[in-house]
Amino acid sequence: MGLEEALPSGVLLTTVEKVAGYARKGSLWPATFGLACCAIEMMATGGPRYDLARFGMEVFRASPRQADLMIVAGRVSQKMAPVLRQIYDQMPNPKWVLAMGVCASSGGMFNNYAIVQGVDHVVPVDMYLPGCPPRPEMLIDAILKIHAEIQDMKLGVNAVRAEEAAELAALTASPTLEMRGLLR
């Protein structure tokens, strides 16, 4: 006979990390940072047809101090990069970044001096969303994947241990030049 059978019905057992993760993923507030055509698809995702409110994201925040998810939608120019970084720095921790579209992910077709070749040169990116422009369904899927990451995040000492383990794994990984695959 386990502990589950001894408890009265209606009692749930869980950890503080899981409850905090569930609360965090259900209250994600995105910052508005639409720079190009991808922003139209981002706005459509917040509309009644796709209804981001189902996931607790009904209001896009204009203030970075009220947001914890930055969706960079579109190409980032060299002049806009410091502004993007300043907005990212003003966001409270924990914060996440989603690079929406091929222009935000890698510069897209704009391979010139004026466009940043990937927003990851300016801020750390948690999720890349390909497409030109990506459909609202793809954005919702990326947001749900970020929700899964948020729900599984560790807290306190466990977060520090997980961070150290990830850093050690990255340092001991074999370099990309040594990897063999389909293209080599």
Side-chain angles (χ1 to χ4, degrees), residues 99-116:
M100 181 179 177
V102 71
C103 293
S105 298
S106 65
M109 67 200 86
F110 304 102
N111 189 9
N112 61 30
Y113 66 93
I115 303 298
V116 175

Side-chain angles (χ1 to χ4, degrees), residues 8 17 19 24 27 33 38 43 55 81 93 95 105 114 131 139 175:
E17 283 182 344
V19 171
R24 274 188 186 167
S27 63
F33 208 83
C38 290
M43 287 182 248
F55 310 109
N93 284 328
K95 52 191 166 191
S105 298
L139 178 58

Side-chain angles (χ1 to χ4, degrees), residues 124-164:
V125 175
D126 297 298
M127 180 76 61
Y128 294 94
L129 177 59
C132 185
R135 298 275 310 137
E137 296 91 352
M138 295 170 67
L139 178 58
I140 290 173
D141 183 56
I143 288 170
L144 291 177
K145 288 178 181 174
I146 288 178
H147 278 185
E149 283 182 19
I150 292 169
Q151 187 160 2
D152 295 336
M153 277 183 62
K154 303 290 183 192
L155 296 176
V157 178
N158 294 336
V160 173
R161 287 186 192 139
E163 210 172 283
E164 289 171 353

Side-chain angles (χ1 to χ4, degrees), residues 18-81:
K18 290 189 180 191
V19 171
Y22 183 77
R24 274 188 186 167
K25 84 168 183 136
S27 63
L28 204 60
W29 289 359
T32 12
F33 208 83
L35 299 169
C37 45
C38 290
I40 303 298
E41 298 295 323
M42 182 176 65
M43 287 182 248
T45 308
R49 182 170 187 161
Y50 298 101
D51 194 22
L52 263 179
R54 295 179 288 168
F55 310 109
M57 301 175 62
E58 55 268 353
V59 180
F60 281 83
R61 299 294 170 184
S63 169
R65 289 180 177 85
Q66 296 176 347
D68 44 12
L69 170 66
M70 177 186 281
I71 302 174
V72 182
R75 58 190 176 271
V76 180
S77 66
Q78 295 289 349
K79 284 186 172 183
M80 187 56 79

